[in-house]
Amino acid sequence: MKITLAAVLSTRSLPEAGGRWFDDYVSRIARYTPCESQAFESEKALLEWIERQQGRTRAYAILFDSRGRQYSSEEFAGQVGRLRDEGTQRVVFAIGPADGWSAAAKQRADLLLSLGLMTLPHQLARVVVAEQVYRAFTILAGHPYHSGH
Ligand SMILES: C[S@@+](CC[C@H](N)C(=O)[O-])C[C@H]1O[C@@H](n2cnc3c(N)ncnc32)[C@H](O)[C@@H]1O
């Protein structure tokens, strides 16, 4: 299962888009499964790219939205584990545009997921998503990184 941590943000914002923390979690996730980060200038470019990722299975798109479903880290890990065990080839975790997702993007999402009811800046949301994906793999592996508190 290949993981893509995607974000809709201008390339001008890239240098501060999570920085060292984000890069560190991408490397940590890659110990468990192939992981890459991708930035898109527009939501349209992201959605078109997702459609081009069709392989044996359709790319599974998890779009982050403060009004989406809320999972505990264990529930999130369970979802990631199910996708892995079902043989899903690519899972895309995407942070959206500054003015939120369009109706078309919400329609395409396989899952709209909230990190909490408060709105985070996209740089911070990106780091939190990367950390939670890493945490999910440690939970699935029984690694002591996650104590549950
Ligand atoms: C700065 S936020 C945009 C917020 C948007 N203006 C609004 O009020 O909904 C940029 C992106 O960060 C992500 N984001 C921010 N806070 C979030 C949260 N609490 N849960 C999930 N995603 C969040 C979303 O993907 C959002 O599209």
Side-chain angles (χ1 to χ4, degrees), residues 104-120:
K106 289 181 183 172
Q107 182 98 16
R108 168 59 183 88
D110 294 291
L111 177 63
L112 270 183
L113 199 55
S114 172
L115 300 167
L117 296 175
M118 291 182 179
T119 300
L120 305 174

Side-chain angles (χ1 to χ4, degrees), residues 12-145:
R12 285 186 308 282
S13 317
L14 263 184
E16 76 264 21
R20 191 174 62 76
W21 285 74
F22 178 75
D23 294 342
D24 183 47
Y25 287 122
V26 171
S27 312
R28 289 180 185 222
I29 296 164
R31 293 178 199 157
Y32 293 97
T33 199
C35 180
E36 63 177 9
S37 69
Q38 292 265 7
F40 298 87
E41 286 264 7
S42 66
E43 179 194 272
K44 182 171 179 283
L46 166 68
L47 295 177
E48 288 173 357
W49 179 85
I50 289 175
E51 293 321 308
R52 289 199 300 276
Q53 303 316 302
Q54 175 85 36
R56 182 173 44 75
T57 64
R58 174 176 183 266
Y60 192 92
I62 299 180
L63 305 189
F64 285 88
D65 183 304
S66 59
R67 288 171 287 270
R69 291 185 63 173
Q70 294 191 37
Y71 283 171
S72 67
S73 293
E74 290 84 357
E75 289 167 333
F76 182 60
Q79 176 72 14
V80 171
R82 269 189 298 282
L83 291 168
R84 182 191 61 184
D85 298 345
E86 286 166 1
T88 306
Q89 287 180 297
R90 185 186 292 270
V91 183
V92 182
F93 298 89
I95 298 298
D99 47 1
W101 297 108
S102 68
K106 289 181 183 172
Q107 182 98 16
R108 168 59 183 88
D110 294 291
L111 177 63
L112 270 183
L113 199 55
S114 172
L115 300 167
L117 296 175
M118 291 182 179
T119 300
L120 305 174
H122 66 253
Q123 293 96 330
L124 197 50
R126 214 169 176 228
V127 175
V128 174
V129 168
E131 195 276 340
Q132 287 299 308
V133 173
Y134 171 63
R135 185 177 293 274
F137 280 101
T138 65
I139 290 170
L140 293 170
H143 187 282
Y145 176 78

